[in-house]
């Protein structure tokens, strides 16, 4: 099997070149060709000696996942479905705005964590994505968007992706090593050169992995909170039974020691009648008192048979006001791309479930 060079960060590529008997600066050149110029064909890497190009052609490939389809929404949001083998597909979304372009990247095929309101969670879990499949999403988006005008501003930019959020399918911290390697490539000036604060990992709260991320690559951290007390969070974010709120809040505080001047973004999906009452907002203020943070309120995005409903506009307004009155910074996530099912939590992809969960649910529904 040829080696896929998209699986390597620069250190990994340098080590691989050294084994091949090549100098480190050759690795850097190839890294630039791949990530900065978007070139996958070694024959086009013109400043590299022909003999080395031939060697690479025999032993390596630059292989991003294949696009099954790409859709653009009325508001300019773009969604790709990538084929990642045997009945599996993952989704990636690009959201153009006036001052930035945000790419929402997937980390797993499905997700093993079973949050009850999440359509990815409902589909079961198949496997972790490789580094090449994670960075390949950035690679495809970056190089295809570079040649077309931004749908919001009409301008062509050679850096269309200014921000990356690991908020697509999957729990990024459950695929720790591959995600950290891919994050390193996003931050590397020899590749995409994104600053640490423009790359966000979103986690449902895997406490030990949060500590490891702080040490290895302290990018911006978003924590999916969704409930202000353990009783409720146990029900809707089941990983809470393993890492309850007290431990999660302590992990947030420890994270910020490694990310000075940062804050945690708490994501909170509002589910009508479940977690959107004034008492929940008041409990949240207490819970997060010692954590420098901002809140991102996300109205639930419905999907078939979810069993949940969107919050009423009035309950969202009241909820937001209570947090703001306590001095908290609150943003409400605009829904973008919902006409192409590209909104948060609607990424469905295709998951050949291996967890047995989908079968179990089908049996339950049939009974
Ligand atoms: N597994 C990670 C990242 C992927 S989900 C996490 O849970 O944080 C990205 C965000 O979308 C999370 O905050 C998640 O809770 C939210 N989300 C999931 N399903 C949703 C839905 N149906 N409506 C709105 N947001 C949803
Ligand atoms: Fe997984 Fe995140 Fe969905 Fe929970 S919300 S099931 S952790 S992808």
């Amino acid at each position: 099997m040829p080696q896929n060079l998209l699986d390597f960060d620069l250190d990994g590529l340098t080590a691989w070149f050294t084994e091949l008997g090549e100098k480190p600066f050759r690795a850097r050149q190839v890294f630039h060709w791949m990530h900065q110029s978007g070139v996958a064909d070694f024959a086009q890497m013109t400043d590299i000696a022909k003999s080395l190009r031939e060697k690479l052609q025999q032993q390596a490939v630059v292989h991003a996942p294949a696009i099954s389809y790409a859709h653009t929404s009325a508001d300019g949001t773009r969604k790709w479905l990538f084929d990642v083998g045997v009945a599996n597909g993952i989704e990636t979304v690009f959201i153009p705005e006036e001052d930035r372009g945000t790419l929402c990247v997937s980390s797993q095929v499905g997700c093993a964590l079973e949050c009850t309101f999440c359509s990815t969670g409902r589909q079961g879990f198949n496997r972790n994505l490789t580094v090449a499949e994670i960075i390949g999403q950035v690679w495809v988006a970056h190089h295809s968007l570079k040649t077309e005008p931004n749908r919001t501003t009409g301008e062509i930019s050679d850096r269309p992706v200014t921000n990356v959020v690991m908020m697509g399918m999957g729990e990024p911290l459950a695929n720790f090593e591959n995600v950290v390697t891919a994050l390193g490539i996003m931050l590397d000036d020899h590749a995409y050169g994104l600053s640490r604060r423009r790359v966000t990992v979103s986690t449902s709260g895997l406490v030990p992995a949060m500590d490891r991320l702080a040490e290895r690559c302290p990018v911006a951290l978003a924590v999916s909170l969704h409930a202000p007390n353990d009783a409720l969070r146990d029900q809707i974010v089941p990983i809470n039974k393993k890492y309850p709120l007290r431990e999660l809040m302590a992990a947030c505080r420890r994270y910020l020691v490694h990310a000075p001047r940062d804050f945690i973004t708490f994501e909170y999906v509002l589910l009508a009648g479940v977690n959107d009452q004034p008492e929940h907002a008041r409990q949240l203020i207490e819970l997060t008192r010692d954590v420098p943070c901002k809140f991102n309120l996300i109205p639930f995005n419905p999907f078939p048979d979810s069993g949940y409903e969107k919050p009423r506009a009035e309950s969202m307004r009241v909820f937001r006001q209570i947090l703001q009155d306590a001095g908290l910074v609150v943003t409400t996530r605009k829904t973008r791309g919902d006409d192409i099912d590209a909104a948060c939590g609607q990424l469905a992809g295709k998951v050949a479930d291996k967890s047995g969960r989908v079968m179990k649910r089908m049996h339950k529904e049939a009974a």
Side-chain angles (χ1 to χ4, degrees):
M1 274 280 271
Q3 173 65 49
N4 189 354
L5 300 191
L6 285 184
D7 268 324
F8 289 133
D9 59 11
L10 186 51
D11 284 348
L13 191 64
T14 305
W16 190 80
F17 267 64
T18 307
E19 258 175 51
L20 218 61
E22 296 291 338
K23 296 255 171 7
F25 83 95
R26 292 286 176 211
R28 215 157 48 230
Q29 279 178 314
V30 170
F31 202 66
H32 284 174
W33 276 113
M34 293 193 295
H35 293 293
Q36 296 188 339
S37 309
V39 170
D41 178 1
F42 298 117
Q44 289 176 27
M45 301 185 179
T46 44
D47 58 358
I48 289 169
K50 195 146 176 271
S51 56
L52 174 56
R53 278 189 264 158
E54 279 164 7
K55 198 148 72 167
L56 289 173
Q57 256 150 2
Q58 283 160 11
Q59 304 195 24
V61 287
V62 178
H63 194 167
I67 301 171
S68 302
Y69 66 69
H71 281 181
T72 306
S73 138
D75 66 13
T77 301
R78 168 80 63 106
K79 178 166 91 170
W80 292 266
L81 175 72
F82 290 102
D83 178 358
V84 287
V86 217
N88 282 315
I90 50 151
E91 294 185 324
T92 308
V93 177
F94 178 70
I95 306 153
E97 289 176 277
E98 285 291 324
D99 56 342
R100 71 180 84 178
T102 304
L103 192 70
C104 180
V105 170
S106 293
S107 56
Q108 299 183 306
V109 186
C111 182
L113 295 184
E114 304 193 54
C115 301
T116 53
F117 54 86
C118 171
S119 103
T120 302
R122 284 289 176 93
Q123 292 186 91
F125 175 71
N126 186 279
R127 64 174 175 85
N128 284 331
L129 295 181
T130 63
V131 176
E133 287 164 337
I134 300 169
I135 203 66
Q137 298 169 62
V138 180
W139 191 80
V140 167
H142 179 84
H143 296 294
S144 62
L145 293 165
K146 232 166 47 169
T147 57
E148 37 181 279
N150 178 308
R151 296 281 292 232
T152 305
T153 62
E155 284 162 19
I156 292 191
S157 160
D158 61 349
R159 292 180 150 248
V161 176
T162 62
N163 294 60
V164 171
V165 294
M166 299 294 305
M167 294 184 185
M169 297 170 70
E171 165 53 50
L173 295 187
N175 182 12
F176 189 83
E177 285 304 327
N178 292 350
V179 165
V180 165
T181 303
L183 293 173
I185 302 172
M186 296 174 206
L187 302 191
D188 194 332
D189 285 335
H190 293 292
Y192 302 94
L194 296 176
S195 77
R196 185 178 68 74
R197 286 196 180 80
R198 285 177 173 270
V199 176
T200 301
V201 164
S202 175
T203 180
S204 54
L206 300 188
V207 164
M210 286 164 67
D211 287 324
R212 283 193 286 149
L213 185 68
E215 306 237 328
R216 292 274 298 279
C217 192
V219 292
L221 188 67
V223 172
S224 290
L225 205 49
H226 310 322
N229 60 64
D230 284 321
L232 186 54
R233 198 164 189 267
D234 281 353
Q235 285 171 30
I236 61 183
V237 184
I239 193 69
N240 193 67
K241 293 181 200 143
K242 195 160 176 194
Y243 305 114
L245 285 169
R246 223 171 65 89
E247 286 178 35
L248 182 57
M249 291 304 120
C252 289
R253 287 193 296 274
R254 289 195 299 275
Y255 194 86
L256 293 178
V257 174
H258 293 262
R261 299 192 308 283
D262 275 18
F263 50 86
I264 302 288
T265 301
F266 287 121
E267 297 166 276
Y268 197 96
V269 173
L270 289 158
L271 307 162
V274 175
N275 66 354
D276 66 343
Q277 299 302 302
E279 78 212 51
H280 298 125
R282 285 191 286 269
Q283 287 174 21
L284 272 183
I285 297 167
E286 268 315 302
L287 176 71
T288 59
R289 193 169 287 285
D290 300 329
V291 184
C293 64
K294 290 186 184 173
F295 271 85
N296 191 356
L297 300 180
I298 313 168
F300 171 64
N301 281 313
F303 55 89
D305 304 321
S306 71
Y308 291 107
E309 281 170 30
K310 275 199 226 189
R312 289 183 20 249
E314 179 60 9
S315 14
M316 278 191 69
R317 195 192 60 73
V318 172
F319 200 95
R320 181 189 172 115
Q321 195 61 51
I322 295 172
L323 297 181
Q324 281 176 336
D325 288 347
L328 288 161
V329 175
V330 186
T331 53
T332 308
R333 193 173 290 170
K334 278 186 293 211
T335 288
R336 295 278 305 259
D338 51 355
D339 56 335
I340 53 168
D341 284 348
C344 280
Q346 285 185 331
L347 298 192
K350 281 192 292 182
V351 181
D353 177 47
K354 284 186 174 169
S355 68
R357 183 182 334 149
V358 175
M359 275 317 255
K360 253 189 295 179
R361 205 177 63 242
M362 276 159 52
H363 282 182
K364 219 160 71 193
E365 279 163 10

